[in-house]
Amino acid sequence: MDPNTVIIILATNLICSGGLYHLIGRGMPPRSGLGLWALGGVLFGSAYIGRLLAGRHVASQWMVLPDTTMVLAALLFVAGLRQFLSRGPGRWQVLAAAVLAYALVQVVAQQAWGLVGRYMLLNLTLGLIYGALTFESLRARPQQGAALGPPLLVLSAVMGLLSASTAARGFVIAVHGPQAVSQGLYAQIYYAYASLAAVLLGLNLVWMVFVRLNTQLSELASRDALTRLLNRNGLEEVVARHFAGRELKPLTVMQVDVDHFKRVNDHHGHAAGDRVLRAIAATLAANVRGSDFIARVGGEEFLVGCVAADDGVALALAERLRAGVRQLDIAVPGVRLPVHCTVSIGISRRCSTRDGWDQAWSEADRALYAAKAAGRDCVVAAGSLQADLR
C-alpha cells in the first residue's frame, strides 16, 4: 500500500480515537486520564497530516513544529496513563521543558545532519517515550488488581514492540538515509505495524476504561461511600466466601462503636462528623491484620472480622484498635482544637460455621453494650461476660 495512504489512515484513526476518548471522558470522574489521551490522539493525528501536506522530506526548520507535536502527543499518552492509574500525570513544567528541549535539539540536529538528523532524533525520542509507556504499564500491573491485568499486559506488549521498532527505525534511517522513512521493506513493515498498533491501542484503552467503570460500580455496591470500608452487602459477600473456602478458619467478631458521637455532630456539624468517621475508619483499617476484614455497619458502628485469632490475639488487636483511635488528633475546619474520640469494643467467641457467624455477631453486640455500661473507651469479651453472668 502507498505510504501516503497508510499515513492518512493512521492519522484518521488517531484523531477519531482522540474524539472517542473525549466523549467517554465527559462521563468519567475528573483526572481520569482520558482528556490527556484525547488531546494526544488529536495532536498526533494532526501532526501526521501536517507533515504529509508539507512534504515528508522537507528540510525547513518549520518542520520542527509537527515533529515536536508528535513528541508532545506521545508524552501526553504517558501522562494520561499515569493519571488513569492514579499515579499523577507529573509536573507540567517538566513536560514543557522536555518538549522545548526536544525542539531545540532538533533544530541543531537538522542543521548539522539534515533530514537524517531530523528523522533519527524523532524516532529515537519516540522510541524512548513508547518505552516509558511500556514501563509504566508493567510497573502498574501488580497494584491494579486482576481485572486490569490483561489490558495492561496487552498495552505493554503492543507498546514494547512499537518502542523497539521505532528506535530501530532511527538507526535504519541513520544507515540508509532519509529515503528509508517511506521506501523499502522496513518502512512497509513499520507503517503496517504502526497502523495495527493504533487500532489495538484504541480498543485496548476502551477496554481499560470499561474495566475501571465496572470495578467502580462493583465497589459502589460493596463499599461504604464515606469511609470506603465494606458496607453490609460487601460484608455478606466476604463472609460467604470465607465459609465457602476449602480451608475453613474460625472467625472472631468485634463490634466497634464511637463513644458519644452525637456530640460531635451537635457541636461541630455533620461535615465534621463525616471527617471524624473517615479518620477513625482509616485508623481501624490501618491497625487490623492483613487477613482480617472491616465493615461499617451503622452510622458510627464498625465490625471487624478476625480470622484464625485466638482469644489472646483478638483481645490484643481490640486494645490496639481502641488505643489507635484514642490517640487520634482529628483536625476539623473551623475548629481551633483537634477533635478527640474514643471507641468501645465488644468481642465474640470464635465461630466456625455460617450459622455461628450470626450468633457471634449477636455476642459481640451484647459485649459492646456491656463495654458501654462499663464506662466506654474499653474492651469487653463475650467469654468474660458469660463468666460474670454465671
Side-chain angles (χ1 to χ4, degrees):
M1 185 181 292
D2 177 60
N4 290 344
T5 303
V6 176
I7 292 174
I8 291 173
I9 294 174
L10 180 58
T12 302
N13 182 278
L14 287 167
I15 293 173
C16 291
S17 296
L20 177 61
Y21 303 148
H22 173 70
L23 293 175
I24 297 175
R26 292 175 63 182
M28 293 282 289
R31 296 180 295 279
S32 64
L34 269 73
L36 296 174
W37 290 345
L39 182 58
V42 172
L43 287 177
F44 219 128
S46 300
Y48 267 123
I49 296 297
R51 290 177 55 183
L52 193 61
L53 293 176
R56 291 196 305 275
H57 300 311
V58 175
S60 169
Q61 295 294 355
W62 286 105
M63 294 307 293
V64 71
L65 180 59
D67 290 1
T68 303
T69 301
M70 284 187 171
V71 171
L72 172 60
L75 289 172
L76 288 174
F77 281 130
V78 178
L81 179 64
R82 286 179 57 87
Q83 196 171 63
F84 181 83
L85 299 172
S86 301
R87 292 181 179 274
R91 299 178 61 182
W92 294 111
Q93 298 90 332
V94 175
L95 177 64
V99 172
L100 179 60
Y102 171 81
L104 294 175
V105 173
Q106 180 175 316
V107 170
V108 173
Q110 188 162 310
Q111 286 180 341
W113 299 292
L115 286 174
V116 171
R118 171 193 164 191
Y119 285 132
M120 184 175 67
L121 177 64
L122 176 62
N123 282 273
L124 291 176
T125 303
L126 289 177
L128 286 173
I129 297 174
Y130 297 154
L133 194 61
T134 304
F135 174 75
E136 289 290 343
S137 304
L138 289 173
R139 185 174 68 159
R141 286 190 69 232
Q143 293 82 32
Q144 293 298 316
L148 266 178
L152 283 173
L153 184 61
V154 171
L155 180 63
S156 302
V158 172
M159 292 310 301
L161 184 55
L162 187 60
S163 171
S165 59
T166 303
R169 189 180 184 225
F171 290 108
V172 170
I173 292 169
V175 174
H176 297 287
Q179 65 274 10
V181 172
S182 56
Q183 299 176 12
L185 179 61
Y186 191 85
Q188 294 178 4
I189 294 174
Y190 179 80
Y191 277 122
Y193 179 70
S195 300
L196 176 63
V199 174
L200 291 176
L201 287 175
L203 295 173
N204 195 71
L205 292 177
V206 172
W207 181 13
M208 290 169 59
V209 169
F210 280 100
V211 167
R212 173 61 56 81
L213 288 174
N214 186 60
T215 301
Q216 290 175 346
L217 288 174
S218 177
E219 287 189 352
L220 286 174
S222 61
R223 294 278 172 178
D224 174 60
L226 178 66
T227 63
R228 307 310 303 160
L229 301 178
L230 294 170
N231 58 19
R232 284 183 175 266
N233 289 335
L235 177 63
E236 287 295 325
E237 293 175 5
V238 170
V239 171
R241 284 200 304 268
H242 176 84
F243 287 110
R246 293 182 178 179
E247 186 179 353
L248 188 58
K249 298 179 179 179
L251 283 176
T252 301
V253 182
M254 293 183 189
Q255 186 81 350
V256 183
D257 186 82
V258 183
D259 298 326
H260 302 300
F261 181 71
K262 186 175 182 298
R263 295 178 184 175
V264 177
N265 285 331
D266 291 344
H267 293 169
H268 306 299
H270 288 280
D274 289 347
R275 181 181 288 263
V276 168
L277 285 176
R278 282 194 295 266
I280 291 175
T283 298
L284 295 176
N287 281 283
V288 298
R289 303 172 306 162
S291 59
D292 300 333
F293 52 88
I294 179 170
R296 184 186 179 198
V297 294
E300 65 271 17
E301 294 184 3
F302 303 90
L303 183 142
V304 177
C306 306
V307 179
D310 60 33
D311 294 343
V313 171
L315 185 60
L317 174 59
E319 288 291 353
R320 186 165 72 245
L321 296 177
R322 185 190 64 81
V325 173
R326 202 172 196 280
Q327 294 169 6
L328 280 177
D329 292 330
I330 307 172
V332 174
V335 179
R336 186 170 59 87
L337 297 176
V339 175
H340 294 93
C341 289
T342 61
V343 294
S344 300
I345 303 177
I347 308 176
S348 76
R349 290 172 294 184
R350 289 193 292 175
C351 65
S352 300
T353 64
R354 182 64 182 81
D355 292 337
W357 164 264
D358 295 326
Q359 182 179 351
W361 193 344
S362 297
E363 282 186 353
D365 200 46
R366 289 195 297 271
L368 172 63
Y369 278 105
K372 294 285 188 181
R376 296 180 169 83
D377 189 22
C378 63
V379 176
V380 172
S384 62
L385 180 63
Q386 293 295 326
D388 291 343
L389 290 176
R390 287 195 297 269

